[in-house]
Amino acid sequence: MSPNEQLVYVQNFSDKNGNFIKAPFSETYPDCLMLTADFLQEAENKVKMTFKWEIFGESTEIERKTFNEMKPYMVKGWNESFEKIETLLNTKK
């Protein structure tokens, strides 16, 4: 990966056989999302990462509502993951 790069992924849920399914935690969650991850080199050893989720493809009003209501939980989950990574990296120094 280069220092300044953008990655785009389309994600959905699947069962153990790879078949598309509804989200296991909500029947009203959108079927397909697009995640855009931007990486920007700010200094020699510092990269700023920005993540953006949006609904990909068709969705109903209730799916959009569910997605928007769950955004704070997504942010919390990402922040907790990065805190764990930072802790691990600091213990390796």
Side-chain angles (χ1 to χ4, degrees):
M1 178 185 306
S2 65
N4 300 309
E5 190 166 328
Q6 181 179 73
L7 302 173
V8 179
Y9 296 96
V10 175
Q11 68 180 71
N12 54 340
F13 293 90
S14 62
D15 63 19
K16 65 181 179 179
N17 298 316
N19 300 306
F20 295 142
I21 61 170
K22 291 297 288 178
F25 52 84
S26 172
E27 282 293 318
T28 60
Y29 197 75
D31 289 337
C32 200
L33 300 178
M34 182 168 60
L35 168 64
T36 303
D38 288 301
F39 300 86
L40 177 62
Q41 185 89 42
E42 291 190 330
E44 185 176 335
N45 292 318
K46 185 176 181 182
V47 175
K48 178 180 180 180
M49 297 181 289
T50 306
F51 297 91
K52 177 183 169 187
W53 268 294
E54 55 193 313
I55 297 171
F56 185 78
E58 306 248 344
S59 64
T60 65
E61 184 176 337
I62 189 69
E63 289 173 333
R64 289 188 296 276
K65 182 179 185 293
T66 300
F67 176 75
N68 288 323
E69 288 174 349
M70 293 190 76
K71 280 184 181 180
Y73 302 104
M74 290 185 263
V75 170
K76 183 178 185 292
W78 274 101
N79 286 338
E80 288 173 356
S81 295
F82 284 121
E83 288 168 6
K84 289 176 185 176
I85 291 169
E86 185 175 15
T87 299
L88 285 171
L89 291 172
N90 287 334
T91 60
K92 300 291 181 186
K93 289 182 180 180

